[in-house]
Amino acid sequence: GALAASTVLTLSVITSTSMAPTILPRDVLLVEKVSRRFHAPLRRGDLVFFEPPAELREIVRARAAAAGVAEPRRYGRLFVKRVVAAEDDVVGVDDHGHVTLNGGDIGADVDPNGPLASLVKMQQTLPLASGKYFVLGDNADSSVDSRCWGGLDEADIVGRPVVRVFPLSRFGPL
C-alpha cells in the first residue's frame, strides 16, 4: 500500500511475492508519477504501478473469501507488474498460462496443480487493442496478472518504480 500520496512521487510497500526475485515483500519503492501524466511511452520490460482493474479486484475479493479472510477494505492500493506487450503485439496464452508474444515463446507457465491454475482465463491468441498493455509478474506461479484478467488499460497506470529505498541492503535503482 501507499505510504504517502502525491502527484509526483509515492512511496509504496510491497506486500506480495508476485514480482520476486526482482521485488520482494516489505521492499519500499519510490514510484514516480510524472512520466504517466505526460503519456511517456512504455516499453517491454518496464515496471509499472497501476490501479487494479475491476476483474483484478473481483479476483482479490474471491480469493480473500475463499481463504476466510476479510475482504480488502480499499482498492487504492497500487499493484506492480512488468510490461511484456503493448498495442498491436499479438499475445497468446494457453490453459497452463504459457505465454507467447508475436509468435515467440516467453514462458510464464503456471503450475497446473498450483493456486493460479484455475484463474488463467485468456486461453487464446489476440492482438492487443489500442491503449492496452499485457503485464506479468516476474514470479509466474504467484502472480495474478494479464493471464488472468486480460489487458491493462493505459489509463489505469499511475507510475513507475524508480528506486528501492528499503531495505538498505537492497537500496538502488529498479
Side-chain angles (χ1 to χ4, degrees):
L3 294 176
S6 167
T7 58
V8 176
L9 297 171
T10 297
L11 285 176
S12 187
V13 178
I14 303 305
T15 59
S16 83
T17 60
S18 72
M19 288 301 297
T22 308
I23 301 171
L24 301 175
R26 294 183 297 284
D27 280 358
V28 179
L29 309 180
L30 183 65
V31 180
E32 68 83 13
K33 297 179 175 181
V34 176
S35 63
R36 296 312 310 144
R37 292 190 186 286
F38 295 106
H39 302 286
L42 294 172
R43 297 179 311 220
R44 286 186 201 127
D46 284 349
L47 297 173
V48 293
F49 270 80
F50 59 92
E51 296 287 346
E55 298 91 343
L56 177 53
R57 288 194 308 268
E58 184 53 39
I59 291 168
V60 169
R61 212 177 276 123
R63 290 181 81 189
V69 296
E71 181 176 327
R73 284 181 271 147
R74 63 186 181 107
Y75 287 102
R77 190 182 97 171
L78 300 176
F79 285 69
V80 61
K81 301 289 180 217
R82 185 177 304 279
V83 172
V84 297
E87 179 179 334
D88 295 328
D89 281 331
V90 177
V91 178
V93 180
D94 69 16
D95 58 352
H96 296 293
H98 188 82
V99 180
T100 58
L101 174 61
N102 299 325
D105 178 19
I106 65 169
D109 292 356
V110 171
D111 178 353
N113 299 315
L116 292 185
S118 65
L119 294 177
V120 174
K121 71 169 192 174
M122 201 178 129
Q123 302 172 16
Q124 58 185 326
T125 301
L126 54 94
L128 283 174
S130 177
K132 293 278 192 180
Y133 290 92
F134 196 86
V135 296
L136 296 175
D138 290 356
N139 183 356
D141 276 338
S142 164
S143 181
V144 176
D145 49 37
S146 286
R147 296 168 300 167
C148 304
W149 43 265
L152 176 65
D153 287 328
E154 182 175 22
D156 290 336
I157 299 171
V158 299
R160 301 182 207 196
V162 290
V163 175
R164 180 183 354 263
V165 297
F166 187 82
L168 294 178
S169 63
R170 291 172 38 88
F171 180 88
L174 292 165

